Each structure stands twice: as C-alpha cells, then as structure tokens.
Amino acid sequence: MNPADGSVIAQVAEADQALVDAAVQSAGVALCREWGGLGTTGRAVLLHKIADEIERRFDCFVAAEVADTGKPISLASRLDVPRAAANFRVFADLIKTSALESFQTETPDGKSALNYAVRKPLGVVGIITPWNLPLLLLTWKVAPALACGNTVVVKPSEETPATATLLAEVMQAAGIPKGVYNVVHGFGPNSAGEFLTQHSDVNAVTFTGESQTGAAIMRTVAASVKPVSFELGGKNAAIVFADCDFEETVNGISDAVFLNTGQVCLCAERVYVERSIFGRFVETLKRNAEAFRLGDPLEKATDLGPLISAQHRDKVLSYFKLAKEEGATTITGGGMPRFGNKLDAGFYAQPTIYTGLKESARCVKEEIFGPVCHVTPFDSEDEAVHMANDTKYGLAGSIWTTNLKRGHRVAQRMNVGITWVNCWFLRDLRTPFGGVGLSGIGREGGLHSLNFYSELNNICVRL
Ligand code: NAD
Ligand code: 6OD
C-alpha cells in the first residue's frame, strides 16, 4: 500500500516453503559455479557495476522507495538511493585493499613458524530487513556479503518489497551470475522470514529490525548454531549542554527526532537539555517542529511523509494517548494532521514534543519509532549521563556542546555503539556500526562487515 493515501500499489507473491527452498538451493549451487571461482578483483569489478546500474536507474529506485515507504522524494534522492550505490562501491574497494594478520612465531626448538589467515565466504547468507530504509539497509548487508564471496537470499519487509526486486534487475544487468542474489517475499513468522532463518542450508543470518524479532530469530537459528548479526531497536538519547551552538543544535536535534517521520533506528526519542536553556530550547524545537511541511511525498518541498502503515500509525497514536495518561505536557502535536484531500486516507501523525514525564514512564522507556520526543531538563553532567544510559537499549547517542573536552568525555561514557558529537547520522561506512543491550549483537561497517561475512582460516606453516 502507498502509505500517503492508503491506495494499493501492487500485489506481491508470498513465498511458501518450497519457494524458499528453491531460492536457498539456487544460492548454494551458485557458490560452486562461476561466482565461487572469482577472486576479489573480479568481485570488486562486479560490485562497481552494480553501483553503476543503481545510478543508471536512480529515478526508478527513488519512485519505488517513495511509493513503498511514503518518505519524501527529497529524502529518498539524497539519502536512500545514493547510499545504496555507495554501499557497493565502499565494499568493492575495501575487499581489494584490506589486509589480514600474519605472525612470525618463534618455536621452542629455536626455529619458527609463519601464521597467516585467509578469508573464506560463509556460504549462503540469509538477509532479513525492515521497512524504514529498505534499500539502504538491504544493500548495507548485500554489498559486503557479496564482496566476501557469499551468495544471498534476501527477505525484505512485507511493507516495502519493491526495491529488493528492482535490485534483482540490477544484478542481472550488472552480470552477476544466476543464483548469487535471490529474493523471497513474505511475512516473518510461519512465512518466508521464518522459513529462511530455520533453513538448514543457510549458513548465516543477518537481520535488521525490532529487538523482539531479533530474539525470535535467535531462538530459530540456535538449533543450527548459525552466526548472526543483529541491528535492532533503540531509544536513543541526545544530551544538550548550555554551551552548545544553539541554532545549530536545535536544527540538528530537529533532524535527529523527525527525519523520515522519526522512523530511523538512530532517531533521538529522549532529549536531555541543561536547565538554564531548557525553556528556550523547547520553544525553538517547537517552532521547528511546527514549520515542517507534512504532505505529499512526491512534492519536492515536503519535509515529512506518513508513517509506514495504518497499524504503525495506530501504535504511535497509542503512545500519544499513553503520554497524556502518564502526565506529559504536550508542547506540540499529539494527533493526526488534516489535509482536506486524499492524504487524509494516509497514515500521517503530527510532529510531537512532550515534556514533564518521569524517567520511568513507558513513553520514556519504550521505542515508539515515530515523529516524537520527550525533553527533560538536567542540572549536571553526571545526571545527564545517568539518565541517558538508564535504558535497556544502546544503539546511538548525540552530545551537543562547544566544550571539546566535555564532548569527548561524555561521548566515552555513553553506553551505546555509536555516539555523535555536534552532529547526527553522519556516516563513514568504514566505521563500526551496531548496538549494545537490546540494540543488537555484533558490529557491521568496514572491516567489521568483512569479518562477519567471512570465515577466517588461520594457516600455520613450520619453517
Ligand atoms: P520487524 O522486526 O517487525 O521486521 C523486520 C523484518 O523481519 C521484516 O522483513 C519481517 O518480515 C521480518 N520478520 C518478522 N518476524 C520474523 C521472524 N519470526 N522470523 C524471520 N523474520 C521475521 O521490524 P520493522 O518493524 O520492519 O522495523 C522497525 C524496527 O527496526 C525498529 O525497531 C527499528 O529500531 C529497527 N531498526 C534497527 C536498525 C539498526 O540498524 N539497529 C535499522 C533499522 C531499523
Ligand atoms: O547508516 C547505516 O549504515 C545504517 N545501518 C543505518 C541504520 C539506520 C536505522 O534506521
């Protein structure tokens, strides 16, 4: 469905067990054919061709992503589709240039041995992805998996099937051998997702999505002890000190809270602001939130689109209701916008800011994944760090200050996988990406991805 107006865009075939079996078998066979014989240079050349083909179909990918997700065309054009191409280019270059460790080892008889490691593919990798950044997150996993010589079976979210399918056309056009990239569509439990994760011929599973789903997949793969990489949910904090660059910070936090209608795992849903600037900060954040243009995702001027589905909109609205029951003060928003046209059938929610909740409130503890934040004042650095870290999640955080020492110091105390200082979602794809606690297992990005998507075989040669 198109989340902007609730219309049906396309029918998608749900894969049954037999189709998933066929996809996994095709991926297994491809490992032993031409693909398996390619070296890193050959694979890197093909990965660059994939990026070329994505760029050639830029408008087509943007249109598909906008129709599937309802995200503004400006966002899909500047973030999702360019990042898809970049994912392939970065891992193409990295696989060619990355070195592996070697050791000259002294032996007890006064001679020596040489230890060195070689990379081997894991085999068939099952890739399961969510709906919020469908192409970006899919290619974030497909690119390093292919760079390492694996074959893949991908299961995109049932909400956003289009770009994974278009990527299959790209693979063909780029000359990727048959069976290397396979797509199955469907749901999670008792459907394509579960059939894939429990398949005995799938050698590893990489997953991005909700923490609860990660737990379910972990139970499924436990029986066959498959390696897993999990990028899960978050309840991210931003800490704003009184000495921050005020305008830059409010604008940065506005992005961190509301980008993609708050549907980015890295979004800040908890904002902690030093008491001396609290009132002014909340007032200016409100001004920004109210200035966002909600509307038709195809309009270039639109800043925020709808939520992904009626079900997700209802979940977000249920948290708006809960916030009031828990005693929140509504600074702005808290409901659904009205357009007076076909967008009223879409799944929109207003940009919303709350204050006044206790830190123990469910709205401060649970991931909402919508255009909403709660702002809390603090009086000391220790208090801010304590509140920011008081969560079972631990994906990302951001610190806003012009005091460089404090920026480093507080960043290093954050119990998360990624901390930004005076910025947010600024990505270098070579850096480690992942979370602690309920936010995930393992790290991807750069060499961390190469290490997950390959097995190292250490060879010890007596000299
Ligand atoms: P989700 O967990 O509901 O679904 C993700 C994928 O898992 C979908 O393809 C779904 O069909 C599949 N799935 C569901 N149950 C399954 C099962 N039992 N077995 C196999 N597959 C199953 O997540 P979502 O609602 O699509 O995405 C939003 C969530 O993703 C949020 O919690 C967000 O924080 C998280 N997220 C995390 C990151 C990150 O990098 N840490 C990135 C994006 C999104
Ligand atoms: O930028 C990335 O590599 C990445 N994995 C982003 C995840 C965003 C979550 O919604």
Side-chain angles (χ1 to χ4, degrees):
M1 292 178 87
N2 181 345
D5 60 13
S7 61
V8 173
I9 310 167
Q11 303 283 337
V12 180
E14 182 183 1
D16 58 10
Q17 179 75 62
L19 199 59
V20 173
D21 286 349
V24 173
Q25 197 195 3
S26 131
V29 169
L31 281 170
C32 315
R33 298 211 169 141
E34 181 194 349
W35 179 251
L38 277 180
T40 50
T41 308
R43 294 200 299 270
V45 167
L46 286 176
L47 260 61
H48 276 295
K49 284 194 180 154
I50 296 171
D52 294 343
E53 293 295 332
I54 292 173
E55 283 161 357
R56 210 188 305 284
R57 291 165 175 73
F58 188 88
D59 292 342
C60 192
F61 271 107
V62 168
E65 203 69 316
V66 170
D68 255 1
T69 60
K71 67 179 59 190
I73 190 165
S74 57
L75 183 60
S77 306
R78 77 169 188 272
L79 174 68
D80 301 71
V81 181
R83 244 309 284 280
N87 284 337
F88 285 100
R89 296 208 190 282
V90 163
F91 287 107
D93 293 342
L94 197 64
I95 195 69
K96 277 202 313 185
T97 53
S98 70
L100 281 167
E101 58 208 317
S102 71
F103 300 93
Q104 182 102 16
T105 309
E106 290 173 13
T107 54
D109 58 5
K111 296 187 177 163
S112 70
L114 178 65
N115 280 281
Y116 66 96
V118 290
R119 255 184 219 296
K120 301 176 80 174
L122 293 164
V124 177
V125 178
I127 299 182
I128 303 201
T129 48
W131 46 257
N132 63 326
L133 306 170
L135 182 65
L136 185 159
L137 292 170
L138 178 73
T139 51
W140 172 241
K141 292 174 180 299
V142 171
L146 297 191
C148 292
N150 301 285
T151 58
V152 299
V153 180
V154 309
K155 208 297 285 169
S157 168
E158 56 275 24
E159 304 285 359
T160 52
T163 45
T165 308
L166 282 177
L167 193 61
E169 290 178 17
V170 158
M171 295 290 171
Q172 274 191 325
I176 300 296
K178 252 177 108 171
V180 171
Y181 175 84
N182 306 272
V183 190
V184 291
H185 289 294
F187 301 91
N190 295 314
S191 183
E194 194 171 274
F195 300 151
L196 184 59
T197 52
Q198 70 189 10
H199 203 291
S200 55
D201 294 334
V202 168
N203 302 104
V205 171
T206 175
F207 167 73
T208 301
E210 280 191 21
S211 305
Q212 274 182 358
T213 313
I217 293 177
M218 203 160 177
R219 284 192 290 275
T220 306
V221 301
S224 51
V225 201
K226 293 188 213 311
V228 289
S229 174
F230 283 168
E231 298 181 336
L232 309 177
K235 186 73 183 179
N236 309 303
I239 302 181
V240 178
F241 289 96
D243 64 5
C244 68
D245 178 323
F246 191 82
E247 279 301 314
E248 196 180 281
T249 301
V250 186
N251 292 339
I253 297 282
S254 303
D255 255 1
V257 174
F258 297 113
L259 189 87
N260 205 34
T261 318
Q263 301 167 115
V264 178
C265 58
L266 308 160
C267 276
E269 292 191 4
R270 298 179 295 140
V271 182
Y272 297 100
V273 180
E274 197 161 358
R275 196 175 298 274
S276 59
I277 60 163
F278 182 77
R280 183 170 155 237
F281 181 91
V282 170
E283 208 35 53
T284 318
L285 189 65
K286 172 182 190 279
R287 182 202 68 194
N288 279 6
E290 291 175 354
F292 281 127
R293 283 161 301 204
L294 269 71
D296 184 344
L298 289 169
E299 294 279 338
K300 284 206 173 104
T302 296
D303 298 311
L304 298 182
L307 294 162
I308 189 67
S309 63
Q311 193 191 13
H312 187 55
R313 190 258 328 267
D314 292 347
K315 175 185 157 186
V316 170
L317 292 179
S318 77
Y319 276 103
F320 288 179
K321 184 165 169 277
L322 179 65
K324 281 193 187 151
E325 289 163 8
E326 291 187 311
T329 302
T330 306
I331 301 298
T332 187
M336 285 172 13
R338 281 287 153 223
F339 298 97
N341 57 31
K342 67 173 186 172
L343 300 183
D344 284 335
F347 313 132
Y348 289 82
Q350 291 172 324
T352 297
I353 302 169
Y354 293 116
T355 58
L357 286 173
K358 290 193 180 128
E359 283 302 290
S360 57
R362 280 182 55 204
C363 288
V364 179
K365 287 281 172 257
E366 297 174 15
E367 183 186 47
I368 302 173
F369 217 56
V372 55
C373 70
H374 179 259
V375 196
T376 307
F378 68 84
D379 294 301
S380 72
E381 189 177 304
D382 280 349
E383 187 194 9
V385 171
H386 174 76
M387 289 193 288
N389 282 339
D390 187 14
T391 168
K392 289 191 162 37
Y393 291 101
L395 186 57
S398 60
I399 316 296
W400 303 80
T401 175
T402 50
N403 179 333
L404 193 59
K405 272 192 179 178
R406 171 148 61 194
H408 284 286
R409 185 171 65 233
V410 176
Q412 292 187 20
R413 294 177 69 189
M414 297 292 282
N415 194 15
V416 294
I418 308 138
T419 310
W420 282 286
V421 180
N422 296 326
C423 56
W424 174 77
F425 204 2
L426 180 59
R427 296 279 290 117
D428 179 326
L429 306 187
R430 297 167 299 182
T431 59
F433 186 98
V436 308
L438 283 185
S439 292
I441 296 181
R443 294 289 180 275
E444 296 196 34
L447 285 175
H448 304 275
S449 294
L450 299 189
N451 287 340
F452 174 73
Y453 292 104
S454 54
E455 293 286 8
L456 294 184
N457 177 6
N458 185 71
I459 295 162
C460 177
V461 184
R462 188 170 168 77
L463 299 177

